[in-house]
Amino acid sequence: MILQLLINNVLQDIEALPGESLLKVLRRAGYFGVKHGCETGECGACAVLLDGKPVNTCVYLAAQAEGHDIQTIESVGQHPELGWKASRGLHPLQQAFVETGAIQCGYCTPAMILAAQELLGRVPDPSEDQVREALSGVLCRCTGYLKPVQAVLRAAAVLRGEAVDPVDGSGSPLPEWLPGDPISPEQVGDPSIYEGPETLPPAADVLARTQVMPQIRVVPEARTWERVGKPEPKVDAIKLVQGKPAFAADIEKRGMLVAKVLHSPHAHARIQRIDASRAREMEGVAAVLTHHDIPRVVFSTAGQSDPIPGPLDSFSLDNKVRFVGDRVAFVAAETEEIAEKALELIEVEYELLPVLLDPTQAMQPDAPRLHDPA
Ligand code: FES
Ligand code: FES
């Protein structure tokens, strides 16, 4: 069916399947600033402003959006070019997110900025609590919330026309250091010698200040360094704050296959039989892999390089599953729908094994082995 959607003030005819979410339709139309997260309405990464209010698009039907005003992060800022290239003209909110270091991976950033925009539209001078409340629908797994809250309060001040301190450490000068000023071995680690006069902000806004540099003096030479000990904008902050394609899910190539994983429903079980023949026969399925199809190479999930201190405890696919959600089979197909259908056609018989939920139990000599020798 064809929907008429008003996206970022442009009325567009967009094709959609009945029952398709607004998230899928917007991303397919190239609005990659609408991030694909949990798909269950919990994380908030997919939020847009619908008639000015934040709405999680993964749990909102595209068809319901007809006749409504949809604003995505691509509408924020003065020059919101689509594409990877950084563009100028950031909105004060985007600018403040960059300046305060409120972006780590940046996956939650577009939704946070939209939520903040909605707040500042109705409350120009919000309290910290109001900012926290406004951002509470967007989960951030890496930056946390302090920096985004600082960013929103900073942007609010800018939008009100107030002067804000530069976020470059210059607002909190280091105490004067005199050459030859000794630090005795006993003083190393004593906080009082590192603290400057402005270390303690007023209690009322202790969390909200955009004073980014703690009063730490490592060595006297640090004052002459250009970069070390000073805040720097993240190299990809501009593109992230504009919601541009930056993540694996944002990559689209012609003819690209979609991969899906069949996950274990059991915490500990041996795969007695696995039959993927029906899935392989399905039209549009390019490949189905089970543990019979790939070498059994053990690796560590800890992620260090060689020599690996972490335990060698994982296989891409194995004849055993060790937690709920462990990998059982992989499917590559032409579309997500075909891949999901193919997963349903894989037959698996499990032999359930004892489950250990207590580390002391797991350390007993007779505890079940994590993995069998090949
Ligand atoms: S992807 Fe929509 S709330 Fe998580
Ligand atoms: S989820 Fe990574 S910056 Fe928020």
Side-chain angles (χ1 to χ4, degrees):
M1 61 184 179
I2 303 290
L3 299 176
Q4 280 213 318
L5 298 180
L6 182 62
I7 307 170
N8 301 337
N9 306 322
V10 179
L11 196 59
Q12 304 185 39
D13 288 343
I14 295 196
E15 201 169 342
L17 296 171
E20 207 167 22
S21 69
L22 184 56
L23 168 67
K24 283 198 176 166
V25 168
L26 287 174
R27 286 183 61 84
R28 199 167 56 234
Y31 296 94
F32 290 110
V34 188
K35 297 301 177 194
H36 177 182
C38 62
E39 277 197 69
T40 53
E42 286 162 89
C43 73
C46 65
V48 299
L49 296 183
L50 197 97
D51 298 333
K53 297 279 172 220
V55 162
N56 288 341
T57 53
C58 66
V59 288
Y60 197 91
L61 291 178
Q64 285 177 286
E66 263 196 323
H68 295 279
D69 174 22
I70 303 164
Q71 296 288 329
T72 73
I73 190 71
E74 284 85 355
S75 71
V76 181
Q78 292 168 10
H79 303 284
E81 300 160 14
L82 289 175
W84 185 88
K85 208 173 144 201
S87 49
R88 297 176 186 283
L90 297 181
H91 183 279
L93 270 165
Q94 292 169 314
Q95 188 67 35
F97 267 67
V98 173
E99 287 174 350
T100 59
I103 308 163
Q104 251 186 70
C105 80
Y107 211 77
C108 65
T109 306
M112 283 214 180
I113 288 176
L114 290 173
Q117 196 183 27
E118 186 273 332
L119 171 71
L120 299 189
R122 66 189 155 83
V123 189
D125 190 4
S127 67
E128 183 175 338
D129 280 350
Q130 286 173 308
V131 175
R132 287 181 179 276
E133 174 66 27
L135 299 185
S136 65
V138 186
L139 301 183
C140 177
R141 55 143 221 179
C142 41
T143 304
Y145 301 94
L146 173 57
K147 293 289 175 188
V149 170
Q150 290 176 341
V152 177
L153 290 169
R154 182 177 179 80
V158 171
L159 288 165
R160 293 193 303 270
E162 295 171 14
V164 290
D165 284 339
V167 187
D168 59 1
S170 60
S172 49
L174 294 172
E176 269 308 305
W177 178 276
L178 298 174
D181 209 359
I183 294 180
S184 69
E186 299 77 52
Q187 286 177 301
V188 173
D190 173 0
S192 64
I193 67 160
Y194 298 94
E195 286 176 355
E198 296 181 15
T199 304
L200 296 176
D205 67 349
V206 65
L207 291 177
R209 284 173 52 127
T210 51
Q211 181 182 22
V212 293
M213 289 302 297
Q215 297 283 338
I216 297 172
R217 187 163 56 179
V218 184
V219 289
E221 290 84 355
R223 239 180 305 152
T224 63
W225 293 345
E226 283 182 23
R227 295 279 183 265
V228 176
K230 297 187 169 69
E232 274 292 307
K234 200 167 174 288
V235 288
D236 54 355
I238 303 282
K239 105 177 150 179
L240 292 171
V241 87
Q242 293 176 316
K244 294 197 169 180
F247 301 93
D250 301 338
I251 296 170
E252 274 192 354
K253 289 190 170 182
R254 258 174 284 169
M256 190 169 78
L257 296 172
V258 177
K260 286 276 168 188
V261 180
L262 182 65
H263 296 285
S264 164
H266 304 297
H268 193 199
R270 194 178 312 282
I271 296 174
Q272 292 288 38
R273 187 181 78 86
I274 182 161
D275 182 356
S277 53
R278 287 173 62 216
R280 287 196 176 103
E281 282 162 13
M282 219 182 131
E283 203 174 320
V285 171
V288 182
L289 299 177
T290 72
H291 68 273
H292 294 302
D293 305 304
I294 58 174
R296 190 171 189 261
V297 179
V298 72
F299 64 93
S300 165
T301 45
Q304 291 98 346
S305 54
D306 192 63
I308 300 169
L312 298 172
D313 58 1
S314 300
F315 303 88
S316 291
L317 293 171
D318 199 13
N319 57 4
K320 221 180 174 194
V321 289
R322 298 171 177 81
F323 54 90
V324 173
D326 203 353
R327 299 169 294 261
V328 175
F330 301 139
V331 168
E334 286 169 13
T335 67
E336 195 175 340
E337 293 70 30
I338 295 173
E340 269 165 7
K341 220 39 240 130
L343 290 182
E344 291 169 16
L345 297 179
I346 300 173
E347 295 168 23
V348 192
E349 280 174 25
Y350 297 95
E351 173 199 350
L352 299 189
L353 298 172
V355 177
L356 299 183
L357 299 171
D358 176 347
T360 52
Q361 223 186 335
M363 287 190 289
Q364 300 308 312
D366 58 347
R369 293 169 62 95
L370 184 66
H371 61 81
D372 305 326

